[in-house]
Amino acid sequence: METGTAEPARPGQSGAEPVWTGLPRGLLRMRRLLLVVWLVPLTVAVGVLLGLFAGLGWAAFAAVPLAFVAWGWPMLGRNWRSWRYAERADDLLISRGVLWREETIVPYGRMQLVEVTSGPVERHFGLASVQLHTAAAATDARIPGLIPEEAERLRDRLTELGEARSAGL
């Protein structure tokens, strides 16, 4: 897990630099495995079907799904490295994206619900996601692929901070 990669404070920030936390490497492993599990059997199926019904020359088109694996492998790594989050005094920052950078700021006082979810594939890899729901649907946010203990810690902390901040509204 990447931690401690700080960025300089931006105008309007509370002077302190946010301490960014990256996502666990297990998320990258899970996504790459899913890429291979879906595209390699597709490659084999396309190759066999084209070889049987159209001839061996056409079976070369089975390399198209393999090209997606070769392209997707490094792209998944870049996407994984782009995800990070930072807990600040008044809000939570979530940053993601490679081509289109997106940074979401969720004020603690606006949080209405914080969920921890984990589907069967995530559970197999020992991962969970934190889903944040706010008063405005446009500011809902998600942090995928956390270690379950970290997801639960984050949920409890965000819920506690959200209750404390909303009590003052």
Side-chain angles (χ1 to χ4, degrees):
M1 189 173 199
E2 295 177 9
T3 57
T5 52
E7 279 190 354
R10 294 187 186 101
Q13 271 187 345
S14 60
E17 295 180 5
V19 177
W20 292 102
T21 304
L23 300 182
R25 195 160 195 78
L27 178 64
L28 178 61
R29 280 193 293 271
M30 179 188 78
R31 288 180 174 174
R32 284 181 170 168
L33 179 68
L34 289 174
L35 177 75
V36 170
V37 163
W38 282 102
L39 291 180
V40 169
L42 179 64
T43 300
V44 172
V46 168
V48 168
L49 291 174
L50 285 176
L52 289 174
F53 296 113
L56 291 178
W58 287 96
F61 281 103
V64 171
L66 280 182
F68 281 112
V69 172
W71 173 81
W73 194 272
M75 290 301 110
L76 287 173
R78 289 182 65 194
N79 179 270
W80 170 76
R81 281 188 299 278
S82 76
W83 275 88
R84 57 196 186 151
Y85 65 96
E87 299 173 62
R88 296 194 304 182
D90 297 320
D91 51 32
L92 177 74
L93 302 176
I94 302 171
S95 179
R96 65 198 167 281
V98 177
L99 292 176
W100 287 271
R101 296 284 304 153
E102 196 172 320
E103 190 169 282
T104 304
I105 301 172
V106 184
Y108 296 135
R110 296 289 186 184
M111 288 184 205
Q112 293 184 330
L113 175 68
V114 182
E115 293 179 299
V116 173
T117 60
S118 186
V121 177
E122 283 179 312
R123 279 194 309 274
H124 177 77
F125 282 88
L127 301 172
S129 296
V130 174
Q131 178 75 40
L132 309 163
H133 299 279
T134 63
T139 58
D140 284 359
R142 182 173 179 265
I143 303 173
L146 296 173
I147 296 169
E149 294 79 20
E150 171 64 6
E152 291 169 10
R153 183 205 64 82
L154 193 58
R155 177 200 58 206
D156 295 344
R157 176 166 162 68
L158 295 175
T159 301
E160 179 184 311
L161 289 167
E163 288 172 356
R165 297 297 194 286
S166 66
L169 293 178

